[in-house]
Amino acid sequence: DDASRMFQVHVAERFGVNSVGYVEGWIVDPETKDQAPHAWNVFVTYENGKAVLYFLEPQNDTFVRVSQGGDTLMNGQLYVPTRIEF
């Protein structure tokens, strides 16, 4: 949780960008369905004139485009948000 909060703050400090959000939710093993509470980041970019969301795992700097209408697979786990804060 601290890593995602720190990333959000440092981006705002360093780049003056406040489009990085803090996400709380669950990471779920797609095979066993085991789940654990977790926090990560979301950020907004523009691609071809459209807003696109990405999840960022601040513990290992992995990021993936957020899947529409479903859970997002990253690092072999499903990232299931329950709360997003900008």
Side-chain angles (χ1 to χ4, degrees):
D1 298 356
D2 290 343
S4 53
R5 285 283 187 203
M6 292 303 295
F7 179 78
Q8 184 182 30
V9 168
H10 286 308
V11 169
E13 282 179 336
R14 187 157 197 196
F15 301 107
V17 174
N18 64 357
S19 61
V20 174
Y22 171 82
V23 184
E24 290 178 347
W26 299 92
I27 52 172
V28 180
D29 185 300
E31 293 179 18
T32 66
K33 306 300 182 210
D34 288 342
Q35 57 186 8
H38 193 58
W40 61 96
N41 295 98
V42 61
F43 62 92
V44 181
T45 65
Y46 285 89
E47 298 175 6
N48 299 318
K50 293 185 178 184
V52 178
L53 296 177
Y54 283 85
F55 282 161
L56 169 83
E57 174 53 75
Q59 294 180 5
N60 62 20
D61 296 333
T62 302
F63 66 94
V64 297
R65 191 175 185 160
V66 175
S67 302
Q68 286 186 338
D71 303 327
T72 300
L73 188 65
M74 181 167 53
N75 297 321
Q77 303 289 314
L78 292 172
Y79 281 64
V80 182
T82 57
R83 186 173 87 104
I84 298 175
E85 170 188 306
F86 279 93

